[in-house]
Amino acid sequence: MKEINIKIPASPEITESASFVMLGDGFDEIEALAPVDVMRRAGMSVFTVSMTENRVVRGATGNLVIADMAISGLNPKMIDWLIFPGADKSEAAVNISLELQAIVKSHWEKGGNIAAICAAPALVLGPLGIIAGVNAAGYPFLKEDFEKNGGIYSDAAVVESNHLITSKDPGTTLEFALAIVRKAIGAETEKALREGMVIS
């Protein structure tokens, strides 16, 4: 295979609170990039973050994505929403580092917003105690992992609480993204997006 060099653009300078979609190797591309698209259509400030210092991240189906920034560029003080797509149980995307675990826990304990879809509620949020005693959605085949960490499993497409949005699987991604928009900006923006994107 021929090696090709590409120039990776500089990371953006974050000057106000924003939403951050976390990308680790093996992340589900639909669950990560569709919400980025929808949130940007809504006018939200959203950035992708590699969970390592390598900004080129491999998705579950082999797509290579250049994240907006590496993990070292994530300033916890600027986080509004932290968003986690799912991945296979063995992948780095849902086996997060101790450094990132500390950021997530601190953000949550301060009342910060978190959204997670598919495997992420069980495998990312579960071990951190975030879904303990909480109704939440997630990938059906990980129900046992979900409940092992005290989560109350829901078969709904999307479940919302004060600072947490969870969703079931790749097929519920657009509803997941729209729920974030509704919570962050309001129902009128969500309605306009649904009309413009022809989502019933």
Side-chain angles (χ1 to χ4, degrees), residues 27-94:
F27 74 93
D28 186 287
E29 293 96 329
I30 291 174
E31 296 168 358
L33 301 180
V36 170
D37 179 282
V38 172
M39 293 164 73
R40 286 179 177 165
R41 286 173 191 249
M44 294 177 66
S45 181
V46 55
F47 302 94
T48 52
V49 182
S50 169
M51 293 184 187
T52 69
E53 290 307 302
N54 183 1
R55 287 175 56 199
V56 179
V57 190
R58 174 188 53 80
T61 60
N63 293 294
L64 297 177
V65 173
I66 300 172
D68 293 316
M69 64 185 68
I71 187 64
S72 59
L74 180 63
N75 181 349
K77 293 179 181 178
M78 295 296 183
I79 299 172
D80 181 8
W81 285 89
L82 271 179
I83 300 165
F84 289 91
D88 185 83
K89 208 171 183 177
S90 63
E91 295 285 1
V94 289

Side-chain angles (χ1 to χ4, degrees), residues 46-171:
V46 55
F47 302 94
T48 52
V49 182
S50 169
M51 293 184 187
T52 69
E53 290 307 302
N54 183 1
R55 287 175 56 199
V56 179
V57 190
R58 174 188 53 80
T61 60
N63 293 294
L64 297 177
V65 173
I66 300 172
D68 293 316
M69 64 185 68
I71 187 64
S72 59
L74 180 63
N75 181 349
K77 293 179 181 178
M78 295 296 183
I79 299 172
D80 181 8
W81 285 89
L82 271 179
I83 300 165
F84 289 91
D88 185 83
K89 208 171 183 177
S90 63
E91 295 285 1
V94 289
N95 291 283
I96 66 176
S97 68
L98 292 176
E99 175 192 12
L100 183 52
Q101 287 180 35
I103 291 171
V104 177
K105 285 185 73 173
S106 175
H107 179 66
W108 179 249
E109 288 165 1
K110 291 174 182 174
N113 299 302
I114 293 178
I117 184 170
C118 199
L123 303 181
V124 175
L125 306 186
L128 301 179
I130 292 172
I131 60 170
V134 174
N135 283 301
Y139 194 54
F141 294 104
L142 292 175
K143 185 178 179 182
E144 187 176 316
D145 295 86
F146 197 98
E147 294 176 340
K148 178 177 69 178
N149 290 300
I152 302 169
Y153 181 80
S154 170
D155 194 46
V158 179
V159 176
E160 300 178 50
S161 60
N162 286 340
H163 302 284
L164 178 66
I165 295 176
T166 54
S167 188
K168 191 174 180 180
D169 53 39

